[in-house]
Every structure is written in structure tokens, then in C-alpha cells.
Amino acid sequence: MSDLRSSERDLFLVRGQVLPRLRRLFLDWVPALALGVSVGLALLLPRLPGAVLPIREAAGVGVTFASIAMGACIAATVLAVGLPSPERLRRWANLRGSTPGKSALSDLVFVLVWASLAQTALIATSVLAMAFGNDLPLAPTGMSIFHAFGLWLGLFVFFYALFELVVVVQTLSQMAVMVIAEEQQLPSGDSAATDE
């Protein structure tokens, strides 16, 4: 009965997927590195040639990047769930994941979904930047505290989304390593039979 309740809770994105992983999300290298790079670049940008770039152009780059990255994440999610054989999916669904009470398959899908959500946040941030900044320069000298905060926030969301994409690539590489290891353990004639 508790397995059924756990499965029902897992259907909810925040309560079932994000909250059990929240500590790991905050303690991961991605937010720390995004914070460091965004603070450094926000402080340095007023001295760089890109400081005069209109906000709408920088935000357009963010929307374009996030749209392409989100498409890649969604395609990877579909492939991760639809491509492996039922036997392999069953093994991954029963293999203990890095989060207590979650499977390796659940962790894989969560990484891809979380990266998609990071791209969604980047699109929303870019649209807001276009609405509020439009033709204003990205980092003018003597900018207001609100402008400086918006610059830092936009850079943080961009680098967070970028580094989450690196995590996706790393996770897909680990998935490929698992597939190769499983295939190498099978007798030579069993591979084709397993995937049918």
C-alpha cells in the first residue's frame, strides 16, 4: 500500500520529484558555479565592449539558446524512456538511484525534466528582460541598483540553464556507459533477443 502512495506522490512534480531532491539541487556544483560566474561577469561587464549591447538583443540570444536546449532535453527524455527495451527499463526502474526512494530511471528522467525547467526559466527571464529593458544598454556605467540586480539575475539564470545542460550531457554519457556495460555482460547472441 505504501508503494502505491509513493507512486501517486511521484506524479506531482514539486512534491514527488523536486522536494526529495531539493537538498542535492542546492548543494550541487551548478548553482554555486552559476552564482560565481554571474557575479563576476556582472561586476566586469560595465568595463567590457558588450556593456552597450541593447538588452533585447542579449535577451534574444537567451530565448534562442533556451529554445534549442529545451528541445534537446525533451527529445532526450523521450529517447531515454522510449528507446530502451522493456527489460532494460524494468532493470533501471528497479535499480536504486542516488535519491532515497527513487530509481536510476527516475533520476535520469528528473535530470532531463529539471534541465527543461531551467530552460523555461531562462525563456521567462529573457522575455521579462525584453519587456523592461528593450533598447537600454546591458550594463551602462552608473546603472541603478535595480538594473544591476536584474543584470545579475539574468546572468545567473542563463549560466544555471547552461550548466544544467552540461549535467544533461554528463547524464546521457553515464546512461550510455550503463547500456554498454549491460550489453557486455550478455552472451553474444542475447543482445538482439533482449531488445526485441
Side-chain angles (χ1 to χ4, degrees):
M1 185 71 171
S2 65
D3 286 343
L4 183 59
R5 285 194 185 132
S6 174
S7 294
E8 287 175 0
R9 185 189 67 237
D10 284 352
L11 292 173
F12 296 98
L13 180 64
V14 174
R15 186 172 37 146
Q17 300 299 323
V18 176
L19 289 180
R21 295 174 170 96
L22 199 58
R23 180 180 166 94
R24 289 196 67 204
L25 287 171
F26 279 115
L27 297 178
D28 193 34
W29 65 269
V30 172
L33 188 57
L35 179 65
V37 173
S38 63
V39 166
L41 189 54
L43 292 173
L44 188 62
L45 195 56
R47 296 170 189 83
L48 297 175
V52 297
L53 184 73
I55 289 175
R56 70 177 150 67
E57 289 185 28
V61 170
V63 169
T64 302
F65 168 80
S67 300
I68 294 168
M70 180 185 269
C73 290
I74 291 170
T77 304
V78 170
L79 291 173
V81 175
L83 199 57
S85 66
E87 292 79 14
R88 180 164 286 137
L89 282 176
R90 194 172 302 112
R91 272 194 308 272
W92 291 356
N94 290 306
L95 185 65
R96 190 169 52 114
S98 60
T99 304
K102 304 293 181 193
S103 69
L105 182 60
S106 175
D107 283 348
L108 168 65
V109 171
F110 180 77
V111 165
L112 298 168
V113 168
W114 188 253
S116 296
L117 291 173
Q119 307 313 316
T120 304
L122 179 55
I123 291 171
T125 302
S126 298
V127 168
L128 288 173
M130 283 188 235
F132 287 101
N134 198 18
D135 287 326
L136 291 174
L138 196 57
T141 53
M143 65 181 131
S144 71
I145 190 76
F146 298 112
H147 191 122
F149 177 75
L151 174 64
W152 166 77
L153 184 61
L155 289 170
F156 175 78
V157 173
F158 173 78
F159 284 111
Y160 188 88
L162 176 68
F163 296 147
E164 278 299 327
L165 207 54
V166 172
V167 172
V168 166
V169 171
Q170 180 183 22
T171 303
L172 292 175
S173 172
Q174 292 169 347
M175 185 176 106
V177 168
M178 282 181 59
V179 169
I180 291 167
E182 288 178 358
E183 288 299 317
Q184 289 175 342
Q185 290 176 353
L186 292 173
S188 61
D190 290 352
S191 176
T194 304
D195 288 333
E196 288 178 356

